[in-house]
């Protein structure tokens, strides 16, 4: 597939898509709608299908439980990650980088599990 995937940004969403986006943000606790949902919103019926399939997993805590199990199972692969590059960062910059990493670390494991669930549902 060449080029960029089309997406519906939050500011450009119809009322029905905006309502799903709002529910996604509330259920995931992430203040930004993941790209996969913005791409699926190009076909609103697919966004509805996807969120109907995995939204309940976020709401009832099954995604959070799976993320917790994943975190326990994942080895600490970079215990010495601080390294020399951090020494050159001002404290405020280092704090900003840590905040960015924490934001993605909070959302991406849940995205991996939720979207793997969608892939499995799409195969059936």
């Amino acid at each position: 597939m060449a080029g960029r995937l089309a997406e519906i940004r939050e500011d450009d969403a119809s009322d029905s898509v905006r309502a799903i986006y709002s529910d996604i943000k509330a259920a995931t606790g992430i203040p930004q709608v993941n790209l996969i949902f913005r791409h699926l919103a190009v076909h609103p019926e697919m966004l509805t299908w996807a969120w109907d399939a995995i939204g309940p997993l976020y709401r009832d805590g099954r995604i959070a439980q799976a993320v917790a199990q994943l975190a326990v199972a994942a080895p600490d692969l970079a215990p010495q990650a601080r390294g020399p590059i951090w020494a050159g960062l001002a404290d405020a910059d280092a704090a900003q980088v840590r905040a960015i990493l924490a934001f993605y670390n909070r959302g991406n494991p849940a995205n991996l599990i939720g979207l793997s669930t969608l892939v499995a549902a799409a195969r059936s």
Side-chain angles (χ1 to χ4, degrees), residues 10-112:
E10 292 181 60
D11 292 342
D12 300 329
S14 67
D15 289 343
S16 60
V17 168
R18 190 172 290 132
I20 294 172
Y21 283 176
S22 184
D23 192 39
I24 290 169
K25 292 189 290 187
T28 63
I30 303 292
Q32 182 175 325
V33 175
N34 188 288
L35 271 173
I36 185 71
F37 298 117
R38 296 192 324 246
H39 293 309
L40 288 173
V42 172
H43 305 282
E45 67 282 359
M46 293 308 301
L47 175 64
T48 299
W49 166 80
W51 190 241
D52 284 351
I54 64 172
L57 305 176
Y58 281 92
R59 285 188 215 94
D60 70 12
R62 283 183 278 174
I63 293 285
Q65 183 180 21
V67 167
Q69 291 171 349
L70 180 64
V72 168
D76 184 1
L77 297 175
Q80 305 301 320
R82 186 133 173 92
I85 192 163
W86 287 88
L89 285 179
D91 288 345
D93 293 336
Q96 184 179 32
V97 170
R98 282 191 206 91
I100 291 167
L101 294 173
F103 175 82
Y104 280 93
N105 192 49
R106 195 174 90 216
N108 284 345
N111 292 334
L112 173 67

